């Protein structure tokens, strides 16, 4: 992987070098040999063409482009013409209505917000239009105000009666309804709104007139995008949460993703439940009312937690206090709503200020962290947080201006961009943290190997001492034996001399310790694990050819390589023993010097198969990124080599080479 | 049969003469040179000089093992035998690819067996025969570094700095080389994998034993690198199983 990108870089470098040489007027031949020139002169365009996959991949790419063009070409008419799909009729908006409040009648331009002036409880809006269609529908919408609809005097629809909603809801949720109009000609539609208990205004939207598919088309065109985006975000957030659960098991940095996922999912839910079109899917205004407000109130909490987990703030207190406050106030709001004391619509007034304010605070905190403490992660966060702040400002302005607020699109899109950035930043951080922890473990492992080496050396010295004692004894014996021989010779006893000599020959001491390689340090480590593997009952066959003298750092790294390889083997053989399967336990390790490279080939029996996570191998016994194989590969790359691991039936094969 | 070249390095005079006699007797066409110390031996040594060297382990000054170590730095091909009394240097001689031990005192049958095996090996050595500059040349594959196409001629670069030209096209001649050992890494290069010292990633070349660069086709770089690595692994795998 690295090498591939490397090549690309080198390719560009070569190109640049070439350009430079050409322009600087230095003669080519002096600098580059003829072969190298030939290499550089090869057709660059063709190189590039082949590098990106040749004919086949380009063919696929072209096919994809053609498909896209066809798709776009087919879709354009849907946006241009008014009557294209599913018999959708053109949409008409009735912009004026005669509004009666407190008995006084006046013509109002819509959409409009009518405030309650006195103690009146109801409001009546009268619409007039001419209908020529026989499949005509009008769409009416109400937010929190009970509504009854009359068409040409007959009652067609009523919404928001006390018994239609749970007792803790003082007002109904937001609803819209398509009322059929059967008559043709002059039509009068009368909407009777009842003022909500918790608000002093009623929003009257324009009356939409079309057939059913025309109305659906209108909604899809206006809020379909936000709806789809919200749904995607919700799903993405949920998936991210699940993925984070896996990541957390390997690295605590995964909490960033957990909270980020929750934030994105909540925003998605808020966006979705805030869309009028959600009612198409589940026609329960009360449900969407609850979901919309709860997700809205709680979405800054996971945002704060993501921030706290990702940026290690120097001053943690303020944000912590803010979080506690947000948590308490949210719980309070839920309790007040559930007891029917204060509606969400009322507490939302507080939150409309609180949420942008929190986001600004977070942005400020991140800015302080980045500027004052030069915190790297803090700097990464600045961009996304500014985007989020901008999005919340835009949303706030839109809400203030809108008479009819039907979706929270700016915020949803803002969070989408934010989430995208954050996923990248989070991934970045986790990668870093995993690398760090791996390096720590490697260090630890190196230390433990060092200790083992010291132990082995002590043992070695003990045996040397033992040998010296033995030698002293032998010197003593030597004199004695010569005396015996002399006596035999004096007496002329030739057969006895022969007999005695052959006895002596057998008594020559032989080395007991198995020497696997000339290098004592590597030998110590290999010997340790070979014994351990032997103890598990594996047949061990190790041949390592290494020079006696190696530099200290090479020696240590080789210890890590051999130690890791053989430790894995011992574990694998233990697992075979535990599983009780009838697999022959064996390990063949051979390492040979070739042209300054040490080439290692190892085969060992195993059960199961190794798991990989990207570049990292996952340890079989612990649920975490294993350091063994990865650190071997690291060391190999460090010494201009490479490592390869593969698995055949019940056999794990490791190949490593490095320049010693 | 060509002349067999043997070098002997032994500090004990009697033993040296004995060994000299035995080697001379063991084969018909043999040239023997004997030295009384490792230093003296190394002074006149160059890669490819001998087919076989016989070294005593314990000598005044440099030991036989050390001498062999020096030899192996430049010559991986020459056969070597070590005179010894014990098996204590098994690991060293494995690493330095010493053909066998000659247990002291050296016996005639051991020497003649050794010489015969070297001769057999030399004769059975896989080789290429080409018509070069009007004469037939026998080229052992193990001594080829790489083959290069220059115009209508192929140049065989040998490990002793000889370059043997002959008429031919690499596309046709490629099949005559053992495929496991030789890799076509470029339009005009065929390389002996066992003579590669490393890869130069800047220049995209194989660096050979003697420092020469052999170009790798750019698109084939990963494949060439991989083939080379697989070859390396196969050395370790085949070691001791030979």
């Amino acid at each position: 992987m690295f090498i591939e990108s490397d090549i690309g870089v080198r390719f560009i470098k070569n190109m640049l070098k070439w350009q430079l040489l050409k322009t600087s007027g230095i003669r080519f031949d002096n600098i580059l040999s003829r072969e190298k020139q030939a290499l550089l002169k090869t057709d660059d365009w063709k190189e590039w063409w082949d590098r990106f996959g040749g004919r086949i991949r380009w063919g696929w790419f072209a096919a994809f482009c053609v498909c896209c063009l066809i798709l776009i070409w087919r879709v354009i008419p849907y946006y241009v013409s008014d009557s294209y799909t599913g018999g959708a009729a053109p949409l008409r908006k009735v912009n004026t209505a005669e509004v009666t409040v407190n008995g006084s009648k006046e013509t109002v331009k819509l959409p409009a917000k009518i405030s309650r002036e006195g103690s009146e409880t109801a409001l009546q809006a009268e619409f007039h239009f001419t209908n020529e269609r026989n499949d005509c529908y009008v769409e009416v919408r109400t937010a929190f105000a009970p509504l009854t609809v009359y068409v040409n005097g007959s009652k067609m629809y009523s919404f928001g009666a006390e018994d239609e909603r749970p007792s803790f809801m003082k007002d109904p949720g937001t609803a819209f309804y398509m009322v059929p109009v059967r008559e043709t000609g002059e039509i009068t539609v009368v909407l009777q709104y009842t003022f909500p208990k918790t608000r002093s205004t009623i929003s009257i939207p324009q009356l939409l007139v079309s057939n059913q598919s025309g109305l659906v088309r209108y909604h899809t065109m206006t809020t379909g995008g936000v709806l789809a985006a919200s749904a995607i975000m919700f799903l993405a957030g949920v998936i991210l949460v699940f993925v984070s659960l896996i990541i957390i098991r390997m690295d605590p940095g995964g909490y960033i993703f957990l909270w980020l996922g929750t934030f994105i999912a909540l925003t998605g839910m808020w966006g979705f439940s805030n869309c009028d079109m959600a009612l198409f899917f589940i026609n329960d205004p009360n449900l969407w009312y609850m979901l919309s407000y709860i997700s809205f109130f709680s979405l800054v909490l996971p945002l704060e937690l993501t921030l706290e987990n990702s940026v290690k703030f120097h001053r943690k207190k303020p944000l912590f206090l803010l979080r506690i406050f947000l948590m308490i106030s949210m719980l309070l709001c839920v309790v007040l709503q559930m007891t029917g004391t204060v509606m969400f619509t009322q507490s939302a007034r507080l939150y409309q200020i609180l949420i942008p304010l929190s986001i600004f605070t977070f942005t400020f905190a991140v800015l302080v962290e980045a500027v004052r403490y030069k915190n790297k992660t803090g700097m990464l966060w600045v961009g996304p947080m500014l985007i989020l702040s901008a999005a919340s400002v835009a949303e706030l302005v839109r809400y203030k201006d809108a008479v009819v607020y039907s979706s929270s699109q700016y915020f949803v899109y803002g969070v989408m961009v934010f989430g995208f950035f954050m996923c990248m930043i989070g991934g970045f951080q986790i990668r870093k943290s995993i690398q760090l922890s791996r390096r720590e473990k490697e260090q630890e492992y190196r230390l433990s190997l060092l200790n083992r080496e010291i132990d082995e050396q002590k043992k070695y010295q003990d045996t040397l001492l033992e040998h010296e004692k033995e030698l002293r004894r032998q010197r003593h014996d030597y004199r004695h034996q010569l005396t015996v021989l002399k006596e035999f010779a004096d007496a002329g006893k030739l057969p006895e001399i022969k007999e005695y000599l052959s006895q002596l020959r057998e008594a020559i001491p032989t080395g007991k310790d198995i020497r696997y390689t000339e290098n004592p340090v590597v030998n110590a480590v290999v010997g340790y694990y070979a014994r351990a593997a032997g103890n598990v009952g594996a047949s061990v066959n190790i041949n390592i050819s290494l020079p006696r003298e190696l530099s200290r750092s090479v020696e240590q790294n080789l210890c890590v390589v051999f130690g890791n390889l053989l430790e894995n083997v011992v574990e694998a053989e233990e697992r075979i023993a535990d599983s009780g399967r009838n697999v022959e336990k064996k390990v063949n390790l051979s390492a040979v010097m070739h042209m300054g490279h040490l080439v290692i080939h190892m085969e060992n029996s195993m059960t199961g198969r190794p798991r990989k996570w990207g570049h990292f191998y996952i340890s079989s016994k612990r649920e975490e990124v294993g350091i063994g194989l990865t650190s071997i590969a690291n060391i190999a790359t460090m010494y201009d080599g490479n490592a390869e691991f593969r698995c055949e039936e019940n056999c794990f094969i490791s190949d490593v080479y490095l320049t010693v | 049969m060509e002349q067999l070249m043997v070098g002997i390095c032994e500090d004990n005079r009697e033993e040296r003469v004995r060994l000299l006699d035995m080697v001379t007797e063991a084969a018909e066409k043999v040239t023997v040179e004997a030295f009384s110390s490792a230093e003296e031996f190394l002074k006149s040594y160059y890669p490819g000089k001998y087919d076989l060297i016989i070294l005593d382990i314990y000598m005044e000054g440099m030991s036989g093992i050390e001498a062999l170590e020096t030899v192996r730095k430049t010559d991986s091909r020459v056969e070597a035998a070590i005179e010894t009394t014990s098996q204590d240097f098994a690991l060293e001689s494995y690493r330095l690819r010493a053909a066998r031990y000659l247990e002291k005192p050296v016996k005639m049958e051991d020497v003649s067996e050794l010489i015969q095996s070297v001769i057999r090996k030399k004769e059975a050595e896989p080789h290429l025969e080409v018509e070069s500059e009007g004469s037939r040349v026998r080229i052992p594959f193990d001594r080829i570094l790489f083959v290069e196409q220059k115009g209508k001629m192929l140049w065989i670069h040998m490990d002793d700095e000889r370059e043997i030209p002959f008429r031919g096209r690499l596309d046709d001649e490629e099949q005559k080389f053992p495929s496991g050992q030789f890799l076509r890494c470029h339009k005009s290069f065929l390389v002996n994998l066992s003579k590669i010292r490393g890869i130069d990633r800047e220049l995209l070349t194989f660096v050979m034993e003697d420092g020469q660069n052999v170009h790798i086709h750019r698109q084939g770089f990963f494949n060439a690198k991989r083939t080379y690595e697989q070859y390396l692994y196969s050395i370790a795998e085949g070691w001791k199983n030979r």
Side-chain angles (χ1 to χ4, degrees):
Chain A
M1 274 303 142
F2 314 116
I3 306 152
E4 195 153 0
S5 58
D6 235 41
I7 289 284
V9 171
R10 204 168 316 116
F11 179 69
I12 292 163
K13 257 198 221 159
N14 274 347
M15 294 272 295
L16 285 177
K17 235 190 265 173
W18 189 27
Q19 292 298 333
L20 204 74
L21 286 171
K22 265 205 302 201
T23 48
S24 62
I26 305 170
R27 263 177 64 82
F28 244 64
D29 323 29
N30 301 341
I31 296 155
L32 301 169
S33 72
R34 205 186 302 157
E35 286 95 329
K36 271 179 233 163
Q37 269 187 57
L39 251 174
L40 288 179
K41 271 184 199 157
T42 47
D43 198 347
D44 290 332
W45 149 247
K46 199 174 173 312
E47 278 279 347
W48 187 76
W49 167 276
D50 285 342
R51 184 148 283 285
F52 286 89
R55 215 169 286 159
I56 296 172
R57 216 179 290 173
W58 282 107
W60 280 113
F61 184 64
F64 175 73
C65 287
V66 169
C67 288
C68 283
L69 282 177
I70 292 174
L71 201 70
I72 292 168
W73 186 67
R74 297 283 297 171
V75 162
I76 287 171
Y78 181 73
Y79 284 92
V80 177
S81 131
D82 255 348
S83 56
Y84 199 78
T85 44
L91 184 98
R92 245 192 310 162
K93 291 179 181 172
V94 182
N95 284 327
T96 49
E98 286 162 12
V99 176
T100 320
V101 197
N102 252 353
S104 61
K105 200 177 200 174
E106 56 180 317
T107 310
V108 173
K109 192 149 171 46
L110 297 176
K113 234 177 204 173
I114 312 287
S115 325
R116 168 157 53 178
E117 277 142 15
S119 57
E120 69 273 19
T121 53
L123 176 157
Q124 185 172 309
E126 208 175 303
F127 297 83
H128 300 283
F129 66 95
T130 322
N131 174 32
E132 282 136 17
R133 305 185 63 89
N134 52 8
D135 58 349
C136 176
Y137 277 82
V138 293
E139 190 192 287
V140 293
R141 182 183 190 274
T142 175
F144 317 119
L147 171 71
T148 315
V149 183
Y150 301 90
V151 178
N152 281 354
S154 56
K155 182 178 165 187
M156 297 300 288
Y157 171 66
S158 107
F159 164 76
E162 291 274 355
D163 53 353
E164 278 177 17
R165 53 179 196 260
S167 58
F168 58 80
M169 285 183 68
K170 290 189 192 166
D171 291 320
T174 305
F176 70 96
Y177 189 72
M178 295 178 194
V179 186
V181 179
R182 305 240 161 71
E183 298 95 347
T184 48
E186 284 298 316
I187 303 289
T188 311
V189 176
V190 176
L191 307 185
Q192 252 181 19
Y193 289 99
T194 313
F195 271 101
K197 288 175 186 146
T198 57
R199 288 190 168 201
S200 56
T201 56
I202 286 176
S203 301
I204 308 172
Q206 292 147 319
L207 191 72
L208 306 177
V209 184
S210 180
N211 61 2
Q212 258 179 327
S213 27
L215 290 172
V216 171
R217 180 169 179 275
Y218 172 73
H219 280 292
T220 320
M221 301 276 271
T222 48
T223 57
V226 190
L227 189 86
S230 308
I232 289 168
M233 273 175 69
F234 178 71
L235 284 176
V238 170
I239 290 168
L240 197 58
V241 166
F242 277 108
V243 170
S244 76
L245 292 180
I246 300 168
I247 299 175
I248 287 169
R249 288 170 78 186
M250 287 188 277
D251 190 276
Y255 279 108
I256 300 173
F257 281 129
L258 176 67
W259 297 122
L260 186 64
T262 317
F263 173 61
I264 292 174
L266 279 177
T267 313
M269 185 143 91
W270 181 48
F272 194 88
S273 49
N274 230 355
C275 262
D276 285 350
M277 266 175 77
L279 288 164
F280 283 154
F281 297 93
I282 301 172
N283 192 7
D284 186 349
N286 302 325
L287 172 78
W288 293 122
Y289 167 85
M290 297 294 286
L291 278 181
S292 145
Y293 281 101
I294 288 178
S295 50
F296 175 56
F297 291 170
S298 56
L299 62 82
V300 275
L301 283 172
L303 176 65
E304 199 277 343
L305 282 162
T306 319
L307 197 66
E308 210 168 89
N309 269 295
S310 174
V311 186
K312 300 281 173 274
F313 284 103
H314 286 81
R315 294 186 61 193
K316 294 196 173 71
K317 263 267 171 62
L319 281 186
F320 175 73
L321 289 176
L322 180 59
R323 187 177 83 210
I324 296 295
F325 170 70
L326 285 170
M327 232 184 285
I328 291 171
S329 61
M330 192 199 105
L331 285 175
L332 207 66
C333 285
V334 173
V335 169
L336 287 177
Q337 167 71 67
M338 286 310 181
T339 51
T341 328
V342 180
M343 287 279 286
F344 277 151
T345 43
Q346 289 162 295
S347 30
R349 300 224 174 279
L350 170 71
Y351 268 90
Q352 279 154 15
I353 301 158
L354 203 55
I355 284 181
L357 219 57
S358 314
I359 291 174
F360 296 151
T361 317
F362 297 158
T363 315
F364 179 70
V366 166
L367 271 171
V368 167
E369 195 68 18
V371 173
R372 197 168 147 201
Y373 299 102
K374 304 266 177 273
N375 184 330
K376 284 252 169 62
T377 358
M379 290 177 196
L380 288 177
W381 268 82
V382 171
M385 281 314 290
L386 286 176
I387 291 172
L388 202 60
S389 307
S392 46
V393 169
E395 191 61 49
L396 202 63
V397 169
R398 203 174 86 92
Y399 179 78
K400 284 285 164 231
D401 288 352
V403 178
V404 179
Y405 182 69
S406 59
S407 75
S408 45
Q409 65 188 43
Y410 289 127
F411 193 72
V412 167
Y413 290 141
V415 171
M416 224 169 174
V417 178
F418 169 82
F420 181 71
F421 271 109
M422 284 321 296
C423 280
M424 292 211 302
I425 292 171
F428 209 62
Q429 273 196 318
I430 291 220
R431 202 189 139 96
K432 215 163 120 193
S433 128
I434 285 179
Q435 272 172 351
L436 248 159
S437 74
R438 208 187 60 221
R439 212 163 298 154
E440 262 167 34
K441 278 181 206 156
E442 243 174 64
Q443 220 68 36
E444 262 170 45
Y445 186 69
R446 228 165 263 236
L447 262 176
S448 75
L449 276 179
L450 210 67
N451 283 335
R452 193 160 298 145
E453 209 184 294
I454 292 168
D455 279 357
E456 289 294 321
Q457 267 179 3
K458 197 176 167 306
K459 253 185 238 165
Y460 180 65
Q461 266 169 7
D462 285 350
T463 44
L464 274 189
L465 281 175
E466 193 71 24
H467 273 246
E468 204 180 300
K469 258 191 230 161
E470 178 79 16
L471 269 177
R472 218 174 296 150
R473 197 182 57 77
Q474 275 176 12
R475 221 170 328 170
H476 170 82
D477 288 355
Y478 194 41
R479 219 166 279 145
H480 165 74
Q481 284 152 1
L482 284 180
T483 323
V484 174
L485 279 174
K486 188 166 181 300
E487 270 170 23
F488 279 140
D490 285 346
K493 292 175 176 167
L494 202 58
E496 279 83 353
I497 292 181
K498 279 186 180 162
E499 164 79 29
Y500 191 70
L501 279 175
S502 63
Q503 269 178 27
L504 281 183
R505 196 186 162 87
E506 253 149 55
I508 293 173
T510 52
K512 280 175 285 180
D513 292 339
I514 307 170
R515 227 161 41 113
Y516 293 99
T517 172
E518 292 161 59
N519 186 283
V521 182
V522 175
N523 189 52
V525 172
V526 171
Y528 171 85
Y529 283 111
R531 270 196 302 284
N535 289 343
V536 186
S539 70
V540 182
N541 181 12
I542 296 176
N543 299 299
I544 300 169
S545 110
L546 265 181
R548 171 171 284 273
E549 305 290 336
L550 286 168
S551 79
R552 189 79 194 128
S553 66
V554 171
E555 234 166 37
Q556 275 193 5
N557 281 314
L558 284 182
C559 282
V560 176
V561 170
F562 284 112
N564 271 320
L565 280 174
L566 289 165
E567 191 178 66
N568 285 343
V569 169
V570 175
E571 278 168 17
E573 306 310 319
E574 271 170 359
R575 243 175 287 128
I576 294 179
D578 292 344
S579 72
R581 281 174 60 183
N582 190 20
V583 178
E584 192 200 346
K585 284 176 287 205
K586 64 168 174 42
V587 46
N588 289 325
L589 170 69
S590 57
V592 62
M593 291 295 293
H594 175 83
M595 300 267 172
H597 305 295
L598 177 69
V599 191
I600 305 168
H601 175 86
M602 187 178 81
E603 293 174 15
N604 67 276
S605 47
M606 72 168 305
T607 53
R609 51 179 48 253
R611 285 180 297 154
K612 258 188 114 175
W613 190 59
H615 277 304
F616 308 108
Y617 289 90
I618 294 175
S619 161
S620 319
K621 51 170 200 189
R622 295 158 293 233
E623 262 311 320
E624 60 187 22
V625 176
I627 56 158
L629 301 183
T630 315
S631 67
I632 292 173
N634 276 352
I635 291 172
T637 335
M638 200 163 78
Y639 285 95
D640 284 332
N642 207 349
E644 212 182 288
F645 306 97
R646 63 182 198 280
C647 197
E648 280 167 17
E649 203 182 339
N650 287 338
C651 184
F652 187 70
I653 298 169
S654 319
D655 278 314
V656 185
Y657 82 94
L658 36 87
T659 314
V660 178
Chain B
M1 169 74 221
E2 286 174 72
Q3 195 78 12
L4 194 71
M5 291 292 294
V6 182
I8 292 172
C9 193
E10 162 71 66
D11 62 342
N12 183 318
R13 190 170 175 280
E14 282 158 43
E15 197 66 20
R16 188 164 65 235
V17 172
R18 231 166 67 80
L19 208 56
L20 206 82
D21 289 344
M22 282 195 281
V23 172
T24 324
E25 209 174 296
E28 285 170 26
K29 289 181 176 177
V30 64
T31 310
V32 196
E33 285 176 17
F35 301 90
S36 61
S37 77
E39 286 84 354
E40 201 186 315
F41 165 77
L42 287 176
K43 209 181 281 173
S44 78
Y45 180 80
Y46 58 85
K49 186 179 179 187
Y50 299 114
D51 295 306
L52 169 69
I53 46 179
I54 300 172
L55 297 155
D56 188 14
I57 272 198
Y58 292 113
M59 289 184 286
E60 291 287 322
M62 197 189 253
S63 77
I65 291 285
E66 284 163 332
L68 187 52
E69 212 150 52
T70 318
V71 168
R72 281 288 181 238
K73 273 179 194 155
T74 52
D75 192 342
S76 58
R77 202 186 57 87
V78 63
E79 298 284 339
I82 287 174
E83 287 179 78
T84 175
T85 47
S86 69
Q87 296 276 316
D88 286 348
F89 289 88
L91 284 175
E92 284 80 354
S93 48
Y94 255 126
R95 172 162 66 84
L96 300 169
R97 274 166 281 165
R100 66 184 66 207
Y101 287 114
L102 285 175
E103 200 161 331
K104 269 183 165 179
V106 183
K107 294 192 205 80
M108 182 59 210
E109 57 258 43
D110 288 346
V111 173
S112 84
E113 199 191 320
L114 172 68
I115 298 287
Q116 289 310 317
S117 84
V118 172
I119 289 175
R120 270 200 307 278
K121 212 165 174 182
K122 198 176 172 184
E123 278 175 350
E125 201 172 40
H127 61 273
L128 181 76
E129 279 193 18
V130 294
E131 195 81 33
S132 172
E133 292 165 338
S135 61
R136 274 201 94 64
V137 191
R138 182 178 184 273
I139 307 162
F141 289 122
D142 276 345
R143 309 202 49 178
I144 298 174
L145 292 182
F146 61 94
V147 185
E148 185 183 4
Q149 178 97 58
K150 277 185 191 167
K152 286 180 179 169
M153 299 297 276
L154 283 172
W155 288 78
I156 299 185
H157 296 250
M158 305 294 289
D159 60 358
D160 52 4
E161 295 185 4
R162 273 191 300 157
E163 294 184 1
I164 303 167
F166 70 100
R167 191 168 269 282
R169 284 179 58 230
L170 200 48
D171 289 336
D172 305 329
E173 302 292 327
E174 193 186 344
Q175 282 88 39
K176 292 184 187 163
F177 293 82
S179 60
Q181 192 183 354
F182 284 85
L183 170 71
R184 181 76 180 272
C185 55
H186 190 270
K187 198 166 64 217
S188 41
F189 287 101
L190 181 73
V191 70
N192 184 348
L193 289 169
S194 66
K195 297 286 185 185
I196 295 171
R197 199 204 289 152
I199 293 175
D200 187 329
R201 296 200 174 146
E202 276 295 320
L203 294 176
L204 297 189
T205 56
F206 282 126
V207 182
M208 305 308 295
E209 196 180 59
D210 61 351
Q212 289 195 71
N213 280 307
V214 173
H215 290 278
I216 305 171
H217 190 42
R218 199 177 301 208
Q219 283 152 37
F221 182 77
F222 304 112
N223 279 333
K225 181 172 172 281
R226 214 180 132 65
T227 312
Y228 168 58
E229 285 175 356
Q230 293 301 323
Y231 177 78
L232 281 182
Y233 300 147
S234 76
I235 296 177
E237 189 179 357
W239 192 57
K240 288 261 174 156
N241 304 333
R242 277 181 298 199

